């Protein structure tokens, strides 16, 4: 849970200005995660939220907490160009 100090206003974060979904992304669910609200996200939604939070300057710990992933997982997404790592092993040419 994200704690807030009484009397301190926090600006709400938005994933999109007009769309509520895009393919397999539910921007309303992503918005909940951006704002530290409890929500169940798909992997694609977690990556989307993690990218936005990272670009806004949130720490890796804050990003991981808000999207429900390990810091190492978030770092892996970032290293991989904000894509989910392929589970198919690469084969070398023989």
């Amino acid at each position: 849970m994200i704690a807030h100090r009484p009397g301190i206003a926090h600006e709400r974060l938005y994933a999109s200005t007009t769309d509520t979904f895009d393919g397999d992304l539910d921007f309303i669910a992503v918005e909940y995660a951006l704002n530290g609200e409890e929500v169940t996200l798909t992997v694609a939604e977690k990556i989307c939220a993690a990218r936005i939070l990272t670009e806004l300057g949130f720490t890796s710990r804050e990003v991981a907490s808000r999207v429900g992933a390990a810091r190492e997982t978030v770092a892996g997404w970032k290293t991989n160009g904000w894509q989910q790592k392929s589970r198919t092993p690469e084969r070398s040419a023989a």
Side-chain angles (χ1 to χ4, degrees):
M1 174 175 261
I2 306 298
H4 299 288
R5 288 190 205 166
I8 303 220
H10 294 278
E11 183 178 329
R12 185 149 184 90
L13 302 175
Y14 296 96
S16 173
T17 57
T18 56
D19 294 330
T20 58
F21 69 93
D22 180 16
D24 61 348
L25 295 177
D26 176 350
F27 288 132
I28 295 172
V30 171
E31 181 180 312
Y32 284 151
L34 294 177
N35 290 287
E37 299 168 18
E38 190 172 324
V39 65
T40 301
L41 300 172
T42 65
V43 173
E45 291 162 350
K46 288 181 181 188
I47 292 171
C48 178
R51 181 178 187 170
I52 293 169
L53 290 167
T54 299
E55 290 173 353
L56 290 172
F58 283 77
T59 67
S60 60
R61 177 172 285 173
E62 291 170 320
V63 172
S65 174
R66 289 188 184 209
V67 302
R71 283 186 285 173
E72 296 80 10
T73 300
V74 174
W77 293 333
K78 184 177 180 181
T79 300
N80 201 36
W82 297 108
Q83 300 292 317
Q84 186 175 3
K85 202 170 194 180
S86 174
R87 293 187 179 171
T88 306
E90 293 185 24
R91 297 177 188 226
S92 59

